[in-house]
Amino acid sequence: MFVNKSGMYIINNFAASGSQNCLRIIKDTKNKLAAIKDEQIKESFTKLYEKIIDNSSNIENNSDYIYTLSQKVEMIENPVIKQKVLKIINDLSLHNSKKFRKLFEDNITDAENYTDCVNILNGKYANTDSNPIRYYRWLKKGNSWMADVLENKIGTPENYRKNYVTQPKKVMSYNEYRQNIDNVSDKKLNETFQNSIRDEQFKKFASLYNDSSPSMVNYIYHQEYLKNINPKTKKILETINKEYGTMVFPTNADLNDKDFKYLEEELKLWKETGGKNTRLPQIIDINSTDYTLGQSDSIGSTSYLYNKIKLDGLLKTDTECGGSTLRHELNHINDEKYEYESITPTTQFVRDIKWKVNKLLHKKQWKKEMKNAGLNNEDIEYALTYPRELKSVSVEGDCSKYSKEYKDTLVKKFKLQQWILNLPQNSYLKKCE
């Protein structure tokens, strides 16, 4: 098994090895590269290694790294991706020494990123420094009951992990342990954990390369990522990507057809209502194992920079009972240009003062408006933390119930886009009674 390296060997950055040791390492590496069966890979990496010999003082580390990368490239089954990686290697080898040294780290990083994302998707090896694996190690070190869940096992009264996740020094009884296990038994967290290990590298790749190499990201998504998804779900995700330009990563194993139809319907409503004014995310990442496990509510976050929505909780909190976390985050995607672009300390100070004054004067009325629109007390309190949250929480409610005065406040004072208030309710969204 090969694992992804956490760092990159940088040319001309280390002390030279002894000459005899260098000669031995060079000879051994050349022999190993010469034994590669794939002629294209052999030729490409042999040329690259000759260039490294002429331009590197860190022969030992660079030799080991390049040979390991060549082995990873041999594992790639998809010919299109393999040719893409070899082109990066070949183009790098053609540069003169000055440009080669300048481009080495970035180009080799690109080659490894392509190689790792597709090989890890196909189970060739795992990145042992990935977030889910590090989180699992932390749980296991703390003797947390959740480590048993990720191992898909139930301990005995004589042998079970007794500690809580958030309170590692607190010990639980076996009855409490079994109750916790039962509470998450239907969430398929072990399978979600395995999916998270498989998916993480490509999700990072998509975020990094979606602007610079959208065609390759799209190719890997359709040809490599979606082949791991069941056919019925795959068809919906293909439609979403075609119609709305959004890649959905459904890492959570307990998602069902209704969840995906809900997601598709929500994107449709935003596109139809906002038209050319709508900004839809390039990525929707649904994963409950990145930060917390087994939570009862859906948790969302938005990256304006990467045009990405992350749902750390489960969609069923929307489709079975609750507010629309997805709609909340979609509003952030459409709202954050106002919130974060061209903001100076002075304009931010003025906004903060206006917010505090308006909240002091109108908080009671705002709460009444949101309550009337079907929002719960917890969401309403969260809405009062920042202007952007007031807007995003408000659009989760039934906007037809808001008064003209409140709508004008959202639009004129806090710059909510008017058309967002006209969004119809998602037919797959079920509100709690």
Side-chain angles (χ1 to χ4, degrees):
M1 173 182 288
F2 302 102
V3 298
N4 192 24
K5 295 182 180 295
S6 60
M8 178 62 59
Y9 300 117
I10 303 174
I11 285 183
N12 288 334
N13 200 32
F14 300 90
S17 304
S19 58
Q20 290 300 317
N21 190 45
C22 277
L23 290 174
R24 179 185 61 77
I25 290 169
I26 289 171
K27 181 180 178 181
D28 289 347
T29 304
K30 283 185 173 182
N31 287 338
K32 287 190 286 188
L33 292 175
I36 294 174
K37 294 179 180 179
D38 186 299
E39 292 297 327
Q40 281 187 302
I41 295 175
K42 180 196 298 185
E43 181 180 354
S44 296
F45 276 87
T46 298
K47 287 180 180 178
L48 175 64
Y49 189 59
E50 292 293 342
K51 203 81 174 184
I52 287 172
I53 293 170
D54 292 337
N55 291 276
S56 174
S57 59
N58 185 27
I59 294 296
E60 182 175 359
N61 285 336
N62 278 315
S63 298
D64 178 67
Y65 173 74
I66 291 303
Y67 176 63
T68 299
L69 181 58
S70 74
Q71 290 182 296
K72 289 181 176 183
V73 176
E74 278 195 284
M75 296 179 191
I76 300 175
E77 297 177 2
N78 187 304
V80 173
I81 299 169
K82 182 174 286 187
Q83 289 306 311
K84 173 66 178 179
V85 173
L86 291 179
K87 186 177 189 311
I88 294 171
I89 297 296
N90 291 332
D91 289 349
L92 177 62
S93 300
L94 293 174
H95 293 307
N96 61 40
S97 294
K98 183 178 180 181
K99 196 167 185 180
F100 177 81
R101 288 192 293 270
K102 181 180 179 181
L103 297 177
F104 178 80
E105 183 175 353
D106 286 345
N107 285 189
I108 288 296
T109 298
D110 287 342
E112 186 170 39
N113 284 342
Y114 273 96
T115 302
D116 282 343
C117 82
V118 68
N119 280 341
I120 291 172
L121 276 176
N122 287 305
K124 301 293 184 179
Y125 48 84
N127 178 2
T128 58
D129 195 46
S130 65
N131 286 332
I133 291 178
R134 284 192 287 123
Y135 184 57
Y136 165 70
R137 286 177 184 150
W138 178 78
L139 292 171
K140 191 175 179 181
K141 185 177 180 180
N143 198 37
S144 166
W145 69 279
M146 190 57 71
D148 278 355
V149 173
L150 298 189
E151 291 177 10
N152 201 29
K153 75 175 188 180
I154 298 177
T156 65
E158 294 77 27
N159 183 22
Y160 70 98
R161 290 188 168 103
K162 300 180 179 181
N163 293 343
Y164 292 86
V165 176
T166 55
Q167 298 171 291
K169 293 183 180 181
K170 185 178 180 182
V171 176
M172 66 177 65
S173 69
Y174 186 68
N175 286 339
E176 289 177 293
Y177 166 84
R178 286 303 303 265
Q179 184 63 54
N180 282 334
I181 294 284
D182 291 343
N183 287 342
V184 299
S185 62
D186 64 336
K187 295 186 178 181
K188 302 181 181 178
L189 288 175
N190 169 262
E191 190 177 338
T192 297
F193 174 62
Q194 298 302 324
N195 291 346
S196 190
I197 294 171
R198 179 198 68 196
D199 295 353
E200 185 187 55
Q201 199 73 23
F202 178 54
K203 288 190 286 190
K204 289 181 179 178
F205 180 90
S207 293
L208 287 172
Y209 292 91
N210 206 36
D211 287 336
S212 60
S213 302
S215 60
M216 283 304 299
V217 172
N218 190 64
Y219 177 83
I220 296 173
Y221 179 69
H222 284 275
Q223 298 299 318
E224 298 297 324
Y225 182 79
L226 290 183
K227 74 180 184 182
N228 295 312
I229 308 298
N230 73 71
K232 194 171 182 180
T233 300
K234 178 182 176 184
K235 187 175 181 180
I236 298 175
L237 299 187
E238 287 173 335
T239 300
I240 288 174
N241 185 245
K242 180 180 178 181
E243 295 295 325
Y244 310 110
T246 300
M247 290 180 290
V248 179
F249 295 98
T251 304
N252 286 2
D254 68 338
L255 298 174
N256 56 44
D257 292 344
K258 187 178 179 182
D259 293 321
F260 295 113
K261 295 304 291 183
Y262 159 74
L263 196 156
E264 182 182 18
E265 177 72 9
E266 189 67 14
L267 294 175
K268 179 183 177 182
L269 293 175
W270 281 77
K271 185 175 181 179
E272 289 180 348
T273 307
K276 64 181 181 181
N277 296 314
T278 308
R279 186 174 193 246
L280 295 178
Q282 293 175 334
I283 294 171
I284 295 179
D285 178 13
I286 309 168
N287 188 356
S288 65
T289 60
D290 278 5
Y291 301 107
T292 58
L293 294 161
Q295 68 273 14
S296 59
D297 297 316
S298 183
I299 304 169
S301 59
T302 299
S303 168
Y304 182 80
L305 177 63
Y306 292 118
N307 197 6
K308 173 181 176 179
I309 285 176
K310 188 175 185 61
L311 300 173
D312 297 324
L314 310 182
L315 275 182
K316 69 180 183 181
T317 59
D318 285 359
T319 55
E320 290 185 6
C321 182
S324 177
T325 307
L326 178 58
R327 181 164 291 194
H328 182 111
E329 300 304 331
L330 283 169
N331 183 70
H332 280 318
I333 283 281
N334 284 272
D335 189 45
E336 292 209 355
K337 183 172 184 178
Y338 167 75
E339 291 292 344
Y340 295 115
E341 287 191 357
S342 303
I343 300 300
T344 66
T346 301
T347 56
Q348 187 60 56
F349 176 76
V350 172
R351 282 188 186 183
D352 289 344
I353 294 297
K354 287 182 177 179
W355 165 248
K356 289 175 182 178
V357 170
N358 275 286
K359 186 167 69 168
L360 181 65
L361 294 173
H362 304 293
K363 180 168 66 172
K364 186 175 180 180
Q365 179 60 30
W366 292 351
K367 285 185 173 183
K368 184 178 178 181
E369 294 276 0
M370 287 185 279
K371 191 74 174 177
N372 191 48
L375 295 167
N376 63 47
N377 291 333
E378 184 178 355
D379 288 339
I380 291 171
E381 289 301 321
Y382 183 65
L384 298 174
T385 55
Y386 300 102
R388 62 180 178 270
E389 299 304 342
L390 178 70
K391 290 179 282 186
S392 285
V393 170
S394 292
V395 301
E396 290 188 57
D398 183 351
C399 295
S400 67
K401 301 288 181 66
Y402 293 136
S403 68
K404 182 180 183 303
E405 180 186 4
Y406 186 63
K407 290 180 180 180
D408 286 345
T409 296
L410 294 172
V411 173
K412 295 177 181 179
K413 286 187 178 179
F414 299 119
K415 308 301 181 184
L416 176 71
Q417 296 185 65
Q418 175 76 54
W419 63 267
I420 293 176
L421 291 169
N422 299 324
L423 283 165
Q425 291 290 294
N426 191 313
S427 61
Y428 291 91
L429 177 67
K430 181 180 179 182
K431 290 289 186 180
C432 295
E433 297 299 332

